[in-house]
Amino acid sequence: MEPKPTKSQREESSSEDVKIPALPPPSSSNDAAVSEAAASRPYVYRDFAQDDTDYGGEAEISVADGRGLTNQKLPAKLNAMLSDPDLVTCITWMPHGRSWKILNRDVFSRYALPKYFGHTNHASFIRIVNAWGFRRVVTTGPDRDTYYHELFLRGKHNLHVKMKRLPTTHRKTPMDKNESSPNFYEMSEKSPLPENVWLSQAGVASRGMTTAGAGGMGSVGNPAAGAMGMVDPS
């Protein structure tokens, strides 16, 4: 006779299972044949919002980090930009936290790029974004012209270590022509992401939802806001 399950085992089996997609294997410059085969299959977005696994990797950088922002990899720098209160007028997470958008290209190039990338070349920044596997939403709606990566989610820094810069020979898997862009708002209702963490110049984090995005552009006392003719509400 098999032993009866304990109370904790019964509760565990009765709870709803949370399905987490399998992470992609590490990329390699020698897997051109694999990339070619993958490119023939339509791309399907996988939501990693429930993945809380600690994969290690470097700690996130703060706005006031003295190690040199320009020496960090794209995921860390991009996340820091989206957490920088001085840049809320030119770049923001969308409300669902699964894609981000450049609100003002001129202000972004003038203030954000020099601080984090050491240049003002917007086209160069977009090339780097594409090289890291980000995709742009081209359909109509509030997410149009936003960029997303299934491993770059608001508040999910643990996934960044799994992001890889693609080799120059790699081709992105095309979207199915009969499929629209992922419905991030529907995903957000089922699996909401953590709130954004704003980083002050002193490196002190404060939680709060993004003030810029589909509902309008937020503002703080910063040169980027002044350049756009915005007034510091404080």
Side-chain angles (χ1 to χ4, degrees), residues 49 52 96-97 153-156 191-197 207-209:
D52 295 322
H96 46 68
L153 308 174
R154 187 181 65 209
K156 308 295 289 187
S191 301
L193 289 166
E195 296 179 349
N196 197 27
V197 178
R207 290 191 175 275
M209 295 301 290

Side-chain angles (χ1 to χ4, degrees), residues 110-160:
R110 184 176 179 183
Y111 293 101
L113 287 183
K115 182 176 182 178
Y116 288 90
F117 290 86
H119 63 76
T120 60
N121 191 327
H122 183 269
S124 176
F125 169 75
I126 295 300
R127 283 196 296 270
I128 296 175
V129 166
N130 289 327
W132 276 82
F134 282 87
R135 295 173 180 270
R136 183 169 65 93
V137 177
V138 296
T139 55
T140 58
D143 284 348
R144 181 177 175 82
D145 291 331
T146 65
Y147 288 85
Y148 67 93
H149 190 298
E150 59 187 27
L151 296 176
F152 191 78
L153 308 174
R154 187 181 65 209
K156 308 295 289 187
H157 307 157
N158 59 306
L159 300 176
H160 294 176

Side-chain angles (χ1 to χ4, degrees), residues 54-69 72-84 93 116 132 151-163 196-197 199 203 205 207:
D54 182 4
Y55 295 104
E58 296 182 359
E60 292 299 309
I61 57 176
S62 71
V63 176
D65 199 311
R67 292 178 295 163
L69 298 174
Q72 305 301 315
K73 293 181 179 180
L74 177 70
K77 288 193 286 188
L78 185 55
N79 185 75
M81 294 172 78
L82 289 161
S83 301
D84 189 340
W93 283 110
Y116 288 90
W132 276 82
L151 296 176
F152 191 78
L153 308 174
R154 187 181 65 209
K156 308 295 289 187
H157 307 157
N158 59 306
L159 300 176
H160 294 176
V161 70
K162 293 296 182 179
M163 296 176 66
N196 197 27
V197 178
L199 297 173
R207 290 191 175 275

